[in-house]
Amino acid sequence: MEEITKMICITCPKGCTLDVTHDGQVVLKVDKGCKRGAEYVQRELTDPRRMVASTILVEGGIHPLVPVYTEAPFPKPRIRELMVELRRVKLKAPVQGGSVVLADALGTGINIIASRDMAED
Ligand code: SF4
């Protein structure tokens, strides 16, 4: 059934509010915004993803946690599961910023990356 949904595009800092006419996952029309906004809407209806930033425990480091991020947008419905998985991981200092601290998270092919160095205490 055709319906109109307001969606906020998060592709760029303008954050346009788009009026999306769609039938389930099929986009029929996007009012306002640009071509990238229309692409965002299509993705959001079929395979929504987000970049995720969090922290992971580090043993023997100068701080107990190191900040980490997904190297690519992660499937939105599985973010809660990812957070549980990240709580299970324990690293050992030193940790190098930019290194993969968890490969192929939840079998998605997306690696988790340390966003800074964590030296030994
Ligand atoms: S619709 Fe285009 S201009 Fe608007 S937020 Fe999305 S990418 Fe930016």
Side-chain angles (χ1 to χ4, degrees):
M1 193 178 79
E2 191 174 310
E3 61 181 310
I4 298 174
T5 304
K6 282 196 185 301
M7 296 176 73
I8 296 172
C9 178
I10 58 172
T11 305
C12 88
K14 283 181 85 173
C16 298
T17 300
L18 309 174
D19 293 324
V20 181
T21 307
H22 61 103
D23 186 351
Q25 293 185 333
V26 178
V27 177
L28 304 171
K29 192 170 85 164
V30 180
D31 285 331
K32 305 174 196 162
C34 67
K35 185 169 170 254
R36 288 166 67 207
E39 290 165 359
Y40 166 79
V41 162
Q42 185 61 64
R43 270 197 315 274
E44 192 65 6
L45 287 176
T46 55
D47 181 23
R49 290 176 179 244
R50 296 288 184 275
M51 291 298 289
V52 178
S54 186
T55 54
I56 287 181
L57 278 169
V58 181
E59 290 177 343
I62 56 171
H63 299 294
L65 298 167
V66 65
V68 298
Y69 62 96
T70 52
E71 70 175 356
F74 200 83
K76 193 176 169 189
R78 299 193 70 191
I79 289 176
R80 186 178 296 268
E81 198 183 339
L82 174 65
M83 302 310 271
V84 171
E85 181 68 12
L86 294 181
R87 275 198 290 275
R88 287 197 192 111
V89 177
K90 274 198 188 111
L91 303 173
K92 283 204 188 312
V95 177
Q96 191 173 5
S99 63
V100 174
V101 293
L102 178 64
D104 187 21
L106 302 179
T108 58
I110 297 170
N111 295 326
I112 307 300
I113 310 291
S115 54
R116 57 162 285 185
D117 293 340
M118 186 59 64
E120 282 179 278
D121 190 17

